[in-house]
Amino acid sequence: MKASAVWLLGVVLVPCMALAQAPAANLNTITSVQVNGGTVTISGSKKANFTTFTMTDPPRLVIDIAEAVFNGVPEETQVGNGTVTGIRTASYGSDDSAIARVLIGFEREVETDIQATDSQLVIKVVGGAGQAVAQAAPTQPAAQPATDGSAAEAAARAEADRQAQEKAAAEAAARAEADRQAQEKAAAEATARAQQDADAERQRQQEAESRAVAQREEEQRAAQAAADDRKRQEAEAQASAKAAADERKRQEEEARAAAEAAADERRATAQAAADEKKRQQEDARAAAKTAAEEKRAAAQAAKEEAAEARRQREEEARAERERRQQERVAMAQPRERREVSSGGSSEVSSRRKTMTLVGFQQQGGVSRVFIRTNEPVRYSVSETGNAVVLELENSRIDLSNNTRPLDTSYFNSPVTRVDADAEGRNVRVTVQLRQQAPVQAQQDGNVISLDFQRTAR
């Protein structure tokens, strides 16, 4: 019976599926299955999560521990201690679906009590675990000499023993046949469950492979999208860098052009300042020369005036009469502009001229207002009331200092004030008089002179 039970254990647990799983970090690792009388202790790395079911012919208890694998536990352990016939172990599934199965064979139908602790699963047989002893036919005593009536009794007992043995043999054969059929049924059920488990495992693997393929395709699409986006960003960055370089080049060119223009302007300003300084120096020398000439002229005039003092006193009355006569004539004439004269060389260039100086001199018998230009210019002279206007055609005033009025009212002269200003493309020089006086205009090179006849005081 023990041999048949061990054979049945091997068929039920399908040795082809009972490969020990390598311990995993997240699984319950079963390290030992120990038998002590009617107590079986299963030790693992964590508290067992298990299910059980029983089988008969022969009696067995099956324990399936979820998410567990064996490590160092033999597949088969023969016990035969009168209560437990043997232990078989097998593993199913993989990873989180791994199942560690422990099958315990018993000598007879028993009740069990299962207790789970932090790392152990203890299975105890309820009601003790006495040693089972096979019942055998009693040993026949040695034949005794037949006595009266004893031979018949002995024969009857022998016949009864034979019949009992034949009945026991028939019963044993019937049990053996029943055991064989139960073993075949259990083997078929175990094979079917193993096939179902294998099919389920293949389906899970196929689903896992399908998910892995889909994930790889998604990762490839994401990688391609990332590569395309990176390529687009690189192209945009290159375009931005080129635009920035072009803008920087343009700004540098503009800065160089501005620097060159500023340098040219500084050079022009410096040259103009140098020219102005030179002109001012020339004007200063001319003014000094003019002042010296005026001083000499004034001295000469003083001498002439001293010589002519008596003559002037003699002519004073006559001059006064003439002056009054001129005033009456002036009052009688209309106060409109009257052109006195015009002049200028016919060879005057078309370039615009520049008035560079307005001056006043006292000469013998006349008061002179002179105007200097940078080259000969066309001009006209006209009278308006007690004013004489000199217009320089196609001319301008280069310095604002030349627009300041000349106050000559302190001199013994008919001229009281000289003003110069620009009007359009011409320059107008206005000479204010105390009263109307004859004027004579002439041009000598770059200088135009207006001479006014002085009268005696």
Side-chain angles (χ1 to χ4, degrees):
M1 175 135 181
K2 293 181 180 178
S4 64
V6 171
W7 175 83
L8 180 59
L9 291 173
V11 173
V12 171
L13 295 178
V14 190
C16 64
M17 297 295 294
L19 299 177
Q21 299 286 334
N26 59 339
L27 299 180
N28 186 0
T29 303
I30 308 302
T31 57
S32 69
V33 179
Q34 297 177 348
V35 181
N36 184 10
T39 302
V40 178
T41 303
I42 303 173
S43 300
S45 60
K46 60 175 67 176
K47 188 173 182 179
N49 178 16
F50 65 96
T51 59
T52 64
F53 64 92
T54 60
M55 302 177 66
T56 59
D57 294 328
R60 289 150 292 171
L61 174 64
V62 180
I63 304 171
D64 285 340
I65 304 173
E67 299 180 0
V69 294
F70 291 105
N71 183 15
V73 179
E75 296 179 3
E76 180 179 353
T77 303
Q78 295 184 1
V79 180
N81 62 3
T83 301
V84 178
T85 60
I87 304 293
R88 288 286 294 183
T89 62
S91 297
Y92 300 94
S94 61
D95 298 332
D96 293 342
S97 63
I99 296 175
R101 173 171 289 183
V102 179
L103 187 148
I104 306 172
F106 295 104
E107 292 282 357
R108 62 187 182 280
E109 297 290 343
V110 296
E111 294 183 4
T112 57
D113 177 43
I114 304 176
Q115 299 290 332
T117 63
D118 289 342
S119 61
Q120 289 184 339
L121 195 62
V122 180
I123 302 96
K124 293 182 179 180
V125 175
V126 179
Q131 178 73 31
V133 179
Q135 299 292 330
T139 304
Q140 296 297 323
Q144 298 294 331
T147 59
D148 292 341
S150 62
E153 294 176 357
R157 285 194 297 271
E159 181 64 21
D161 289 340
R162 184 186 62 78
Q163 292 177 357
Q165 289 176 358
E166 289 178 355
K167 181 179 181 181
E171 291 176 352
R175 284 196 300 270
E177 180 63 23
D179 288 342
R180 185 185 64 77
Q181 293 176 358
Q183 291 170 2
E184 291 177 354
K185 181 180 179 181
E189 292 175 353
T191 301
R193 285 196 297 272
Q195 184 63 37
Q196 290 176 357
D197 292 342
D199 293 342
E201 180 64 21
R202 281 195 300 273
Q203 185 176 359
R204 284 194 296 271
Q205 290 179 354
Q206 290 174 357
E207 292 175 353
E209 289 177 357
S210 299
R211 289 194 297 271
V213 170
Q215 184 176 1
R216 284 195 299 272
E217 292 177 352
E218 181 64 25
E219 291 175 352
Q220 290 175 356
R221 286 194 296 271
Q224 183 63 37
D228 295 341
D229 188 58
R230 184 168 58 252
K231 184 176 180 181
R232 179 185 60 78
Q233 291 177 353
E234 290 176 354
E236 291 178 354
Q238 291 175 357
S240 299
K242 186 177 183 302
D246 294 341
E247 178 65 17
R248 186 166 56 253
K249 183 177 180 182
R250 183 186 64 78
Q251 292 177 352
E252 290 175 354
E253 291 177 352
E254 290 179 354
R256 283 195 297 271
E260 292 176 357
D264 293 341
E265 185 176 356
R266 286 195 299 272
R267 286 192 295 269
T269 302
Q271 184 63 37
D275 294 342
E276 176 62 18
K277 184 176 180 181
K278 182 177 179 182
R279 187 190 63 76
Q280 290 177 352
Q281 291 174 351
E282 292 177 353
D283 291 344
R285 286 193 294 270
K289 182 177 179 181
T290 301
E293 292 177 352
E294 289 179 352
K295 186 176 181 180
R296 288 193 296 272
Q300 181 65 30
K303 291 179 181 179
E304 291 177 355
E305 288 179 358
E308 293 181 357
R310 282 189 298 274
R311 183 180 60 81
Q312 289 179 358
R313 285 193 297 270
E314 292 174 355
E315 293 180 355
E316 193 173 45
R318 182 178 57 82
E320 181 65 20
R321 288 193 299 273
E322 291 178 357
R323 183 182 63 80
R324 291 177 181 176
Q325 181 63 29
Q326 290 175 356
E327 288 178 356
R328 286 193 296 270
V329 172
M331 292 296 291
Q333 291 179 350
R335 299 180 63 84
E336 296 179 355
R337 177 172 176 175
R338 181 169 57 88
E339 185 171 334
V340 176
S341 63
S342 61
S345 173
S346 60
E347 298 178 357
V348 173
S349 69
S350 60
R351 292 186 300 272
R352 194 171 185 184
K353 317 304 184 298
T354 301
M355 188 194 78
T356 60
L357 181 65
V358 175
F360 174 80
Q361 290 179 344
Q362 288 281 70
Q363 296 186 356
V366 296
S367 295
R368 171 170 291 180
V369 176
F370 60 92
I371 297 89
R372 181 178 298 158
T373 57
N374 62 337
E375 59 180 276
V377 61
R378 293 186 182 278
Y379 69 91
S380 64
V381 181
S382 60
E383 290 185 2
T384 302
N386 290 342
V388 175
V389 179
L390 170 67
E391 287 195 9
L392 307 180
E393 298 179 4
N394 194 24
S395 301
R396 62 185 174 187
I397 301 175
D398 61 343
L399 296 177
S400 59
N401 188 51
N402 288 329
T403 61
R404 294 180 179 179
L406 295 179
D407 186 0
T408 60
S409 60
Y410 297 99
F411 291 94
N412 178 21
S413 169
V415 179
T416 61
R417 180 185 177 95
V418 180
D419 295 280
D421 60 350
E423 289 190 359
R425 295 187 59 84
N426 297 340
V427 173
R428 171 177 289 183
V429 179
T430 303
V431 181
Q432 300 290 341
L433 303 176
R434 299 180 192 276
Q435 66 274 338
Q436 288 184 339
V439 58
Q440 182 177 359
Q442 62 178 357
Q443 184 175 31
D444 184 8
N446 297 347
V447 179
I448 299 174
S449 301
L450 299 177
D451 293 337
F452 296 91
Q453 187 69 39
R454 288 202 307 270
T455 60
R457 290 180 180 270

